[in-house]
Structures are given as C-alpha cells and as structure tokens.
Amino acid sequence: RQLGRETMASLYVLAVSANSHGALILNAEGGLGLTVKPLDAMKGETRTPEFVAKNPFHCCPTYEEGSFVLWESNAILRHLAEKNKLTAWYPEDLEKRAKVNQLLDYRQTAYYPALSAYVYPALGFMPALDAAGTEAAKAKVLSTLEDFEKHYLAGGKFAGDFDTPTIADLALVPPLGFLGVYADFALPAGVKAYVDRFSAAVKSYAEVKAPLDGFLGYLASQKK
C-alpha cells in the first residue's frame, strides 16, 4: 500500500454492497485517504433530500470532492486511478488499459447482470423467484462464470492475463461474494482459485467484505 494522502474528498458507500467494495479497496490499497461515509439504504439514507441533491440516482458508491460529484462504480475506479496515478492498478500502456476497460464493460453488460438476476431475489433486493426461475438463473451464472474463466483467466493470475490485480479485478471479484447467499453454490474451480489469489494479494479485501459476510450470516440465521 502507498502512504496516506491528504484529501478533502468523500466516498459514500453501502458497506454490504459489492458495488461499493472496489472503491473502498482502492482507497485502502492506494492510501488515498478518502473520507468514507457509510449509508444505510434500509433506513432511507440514500433518499434524503441532501443526498439526492448530490446524486439524483441515489446510488452508491458516490464520490464527492468540492462541487465535483461522481457516481457509477467503474467510473469512480477509473477516476481515482487516473487522478492518483495508480498505474499499477490502471496501466498507462494504451493496449493494457484498453484490456482493463474491456473487462470493466464486460462486467456491466454480461457478468453482473447474470449474477444479480440470481442473487438479488435471495438477498431481498428483488421479488423472489420460483424454483424453476432460480434454477434457470443459476444455470446462467454458471455459464457466465465458465465463459469468464475460459476467456479472461486463461493466461495470467488475474483477469485479462495480468500478473497483478487491476481495477478490473476490483469490479469483478466482490460481486462473487453475493453468491454466498446460497450455501450450496460452488464456484467453478478456476474462478475459486482466482478469488483465492486476489484475496491473498489484496490484503484489505477481507476487511472490506466483512459487512457483507455479516449480512449473509444474518440471512442464513433467519432460515433456520
């Protein structure tokens, strides 16, 4: 990690949300010194007049520095990496950067839609699926993860054939934590190995994902 920096910037997050985890990890690993402001969506804290005035889409993470406000998790990752010259996380080489950008777009267009359609109903974020709907959503997730492993994990330790983590990994790994809502779900072997490598390399990840782990534990206790 880098030494801490002085900043007046704030990062509004939902601590249990994988969408907030990437920016939290980059803040910790890059020593960015952002003021982290956790919000509780269940208490309506993302819908207050004050927050909606900053972000009319009332989503997290939201980054604020003076009059500049930015939302969308991948946009925040790119901005923080560029602003703070975190070239280890977001390479300067244009072809390598393009590959990271491709992964970030893939995350939004194929990877996360498949994951969220399966986990959101179980997490209580969407109406529950019936048994057939759950099985179909699970099959789509497994197919998506198999494609991800085949096309993006074949040649390196991290996504896109990189030997060290990039901001793409910060967008791709945390959502896999949501799958813990299903006690019997098993990641494909190559994807599990990728998560294990990421967890070993990115020391702040365990602390960042602890609130999600706690939430999943609570949900499991309610099923007993």
Side-chain angles (χ1 to χ4, degrees):
R1 304 184 192 184
Q2 298 183 13
L3 295 176
R5 309 165 191 238
E6 293 296 326
T7 179
M8 297 296 291
S10 297
L11 185 67
Y12 297 85
V13 301
L14 301 177
V16 301
S17 174
N19 289 310
S20 291
H21 290 175
L24 286 168
I25 293 168
L26 195 61
N27 180 47
E29 298 294 323
L32 305 185
L34 303 179
T35 299
V36 176
K37 298 184 176 182
L39 300 179
D40 188 335
M42 301 302 291
K43 295 180 180 178
E45 292 177 357
T46 59
R47 305 233 179 201
T48 63
E50 294 80 10
F51 188 71
V52 172
K54 301 177 190 296
N55 177 354
F57 292 91
H58 49 79
C59 56
C60 285
T62 293
Y63 173 84
E64 180 181 37
E65 186 169 9
S67 62
F68 176 65
V69 181
L70 183 68
W71 54 89
E72 296 297 340
S73 57
N74 288 348
I76 291 170
L77 288 173
R78 289 183 177 105
H79 176 69
L80 291 177
E82 289 177 330
K83 177 181 174 64
N84 295 284
K85 297 180 172 56
L86 302 180
T87 55
W89 292 93
Y90 198 35
E92 287 183 301
D93 177 86
L94 290 180
E95 291 187 0
K96 291 180 179 179
R97 180 167 289 200
K99 181 60 71 173
V100 172
N101 287 332
Q102 180 184 17
L103 283 159
L104 291 171
D105 287 353
Y106 163 77
R107 190 265 196 195
Q108 300 300 80
T109 59
Y111 183 92
Y112 195 76
L115 288 171
S116 60
Y118 180 48
V119 301
Y120 275 18
L123 292 166
F125 300 165
M126 288 173 56
L129 297 172
D130 61 18
T134 299
E135 284 304 309
K138 180 180 180 179
K140 178 63 175 177
V141 167
L142 288 171
S143 174
T144 298
L145 293 180
E146 288 167 4
D147 284 344
F148 173 61
E149 179 180 355
K150 178 180 179 180
H151 297 294
Y152 287 119
L153 296 180
K157 293 182 179 180
F158 299 98
D161 299 341
F162 289 96
D163 289 330
T164 59
T166 71
I167 59 172
D169 299 296
L170 301 187
L172 291 161
V173 172
L176 297 174
F178 279 147
L179 292 166
V181 72
Y182 293 102
D184 60 345
F185 186 90
L187 290 171
V191 178
K192 183 181 184 303
Y194 162 61
V195 173
D196 290 344
R197 290 192 296 272
F198 178 87
S199 299
V202 182
K203 302 304 183 183
S204 62
Y205 179 49
E207 181 178 354
V208 167
K209 76 182 183 75
L212 173 58
D213 292 339
F215 178 58
L216 294 177
Y218 167 76
L219 292 179
S221 72
Q222 299 305 298
K223 297 176 182 178
K224 296 178 180 178

